[in-house]
Amino acid sequence: TESENVLGYFVNVERVPNSCSYSPNRIFLKDTNILLNLSMAYYRVNISAYNKAGESPRAIYIIPEFSATDLPGQIHVKRQRTNAVVTWTPEYNPKCFVVDWGTGKEDMHMKIVTMPAGNFTLDNFQPYKLYKIMVHTSDVCQCESFTRHEKTFGVTHFYFVEGVPRTGPTNVTILNITKHSALVKWNEIAAEDRLGFLQGYRISYTDSSRKKSPTVTLNSSTTHYHLTGLKEKTIYRVQISGFTSAGEGPLILSQPFSTPKYGTVECLYICIMQRES
């Protein structure tokens, strides 16, 4: 009975966090879609259907994060003793700024800044955690108006204290092994294990006599490297680590691999000669 003859839908759009402690306005719809003009803050959407028998349970939807591209301004964050000072240069003077900061949608804080100066001091940061800081502008500073009037000025990420990665890259694999070369591939260090902004990887290898190659530094977006100058019929092992501004994380060792005695063409020629003899 409840599913028949749907008369319409109730939609509540709630900003996260909602430090204003107001109930979101309820939108009444006949259609099954709605166009929302929102900032890059987190939003929770509650949707329910209704008919003559009553209202259905709510479906809760968290709007995914938007990619921070083509924003009008830049935010700068600087550590100052136990606090962090956020500064920005507004392109105009709105009636207020809204600052969001936290480690994720379940841990966000909100502050309304009405002074014209483009700076704000934040506190209660923990070390080794990645914080997202967003600054929005609004020409209407009542709480219930932010959903309609708020525009994102800039977004940045910040570590109050950086640490070294607590793990190295995973799934280190050796492929395409030839007489004098091999391809090393790996999975990047997970974001929660970096404990700082990952600046890159350091990779080297040792042979069976424990002779170590020079260390090569790669950028943080690289997940493969082509080893060259290897010796034939030699056992090698690759070691790789990630690093931040605080230092280098643990070394991860690959499984040992062995280069062949002959190259593909050499092997083909020798095998033919051996067969003919």
Side-chain angles (χ1 to χ4, degrees):
T1 303
E2 290 84 353
S3 63
E4 295 178 355
N5 302 318
V6 173
L7 299 177
Y9 301 90
F10 296 128
V11 179
N12 290 342
V13 181
E14 181 182 5
R15 192 187 191 283
V16 180
N18 179 15
S19 62
C20 298
S21 300
Y22 73 95
S23 298
N25 293 326
R26 186 171 252 195
I27 302 171
F28 299 89
L29 293 175
K30 294 291 186 181
D31 297 325
T32 57
N33 60 80
I34 181 172
L35 178 63
L36 299 172
N37 185 17
L38 303 175
S39 71
M40 292 179 65
Y42 293 108
Y43 287 91
R44 181 185 299 114
V45 180
N46 301 315
I47 305 172
S48 59
Y50 68 93
N51 61 12
K52 293 181 179 179
E55 183 178 350
S56 73
R58 293 181 176 183
I60 300 175
Y61 178 72
I62 302 295
I63 294 180
E65 291 188 47
F66 297 98
S67 58
T69 58
D70 198 26
L71 294 177
Q74 291 185 337
I75 306 172
H76 303 281
V77 187
K78 185 177 181 181
R79 180 180 173 182
Q80 192 174 82
R81 297 181 181 177
T82 59
N83 299 325
V85 178
V86 183
T87 58
W88 61 90
T89 303
E91 47 183 10
Y92 75 103
N93 290 323
K95 289 189 176 180
C96 62
F97 294 96
V98 184
V99 181
D100 289 328
W101 73 99
T103 57
K105 62 177 70 72
E106 304 300 328
D107 176 43
M108 293 299 290
H109 308 275
M110 170 187 173
K111 185 71 175 180
I112 301 171
V113 183
T114 56
M115 55 186 177
N119 66 78
F120 186 65
T121 301
L122 306 177
D123 55 11
N124 294 324
F125 286 98
Q126 297 182 36
Y128 317 133
K129 287 193 174 183
L130 180 63
Y131 287 86
K132 184 177 184 180
I133 301 174
M134 295 180 280
V135 175
H136 318 279
T137 62
S138 181
D139 287 323
V140 181
C141 296
Q142 288 78 23
C143 281
E144 63 274 10
S145 300
F146 286 137
T147 301
R148 290 174 291 171
H149 297 278
E150 185 179 77
K151 296 179 180 179
T152 301
F153 173 77
V155 177
T156 192
H157 293 85
F158 171 69
Y159 281 96
F160 188 68
V161 176
E162 289 195 63
V164 301
R166 62 184 166 199
T167 64
T170 57
N171 196 27
V172 180
T173 308
I174 312 298
L175 303 169
N176 302 342
I177 302 170
T178 70
K179 184 178 176 181
H180 297 299
S181 66
L183 178 66
V184 187
K185 300 186 78 171
W186 61 90
N187 294 338
E188 64 180 12
I189 300 174
E192 62 271 18
D193 293 325
R194 296 177 182 181
L195 307 184
F197 291 113
L198 188 66
Q199 295 187 351
Y201 297 98
R202 294 190 176 114
I203 184 170
S204 61
Y205 58 87
T206 55
D207 60 21
S208 50
S209 65
R210 296 188 178 180
K211 182 180 178 181
K212 184 179 177 182
S213 71
T215 299
V216 176
T217 300
L218 307 170
N219 64 49
S220 59
S221 63
T222 301
T223 56
H224 66 275
Y225 182 70
H226 194 228
L227 302 177
T228 58
L230 305 180
K231 296 179 180 179
E232 69 273 12
K233 203 176 179 182
T234 304
I235 298 174
Y236 289 96
R237 199 168 193 181
V238 172
Q239 51 193 21
I240 181 171
S241 63
F243 65 95
T244 66
S245 63
E248 187 174 350
L251 286 171
I252 301 299
L253 299 177
S254 73
Q255 291 294 323
F257 68 96
S258 179
T259 54
K261 183 177 180 179
Y262 302 108
T264 304
V265 176
E266 290 176 308
C267 180
L268 181 61
Y269 174 77
I270 292 172
C271 289
I272 292 174
M273 293 296 291
Q274 288 177 344
R275 189 174 298 172
E276 289 179 351
S277 62

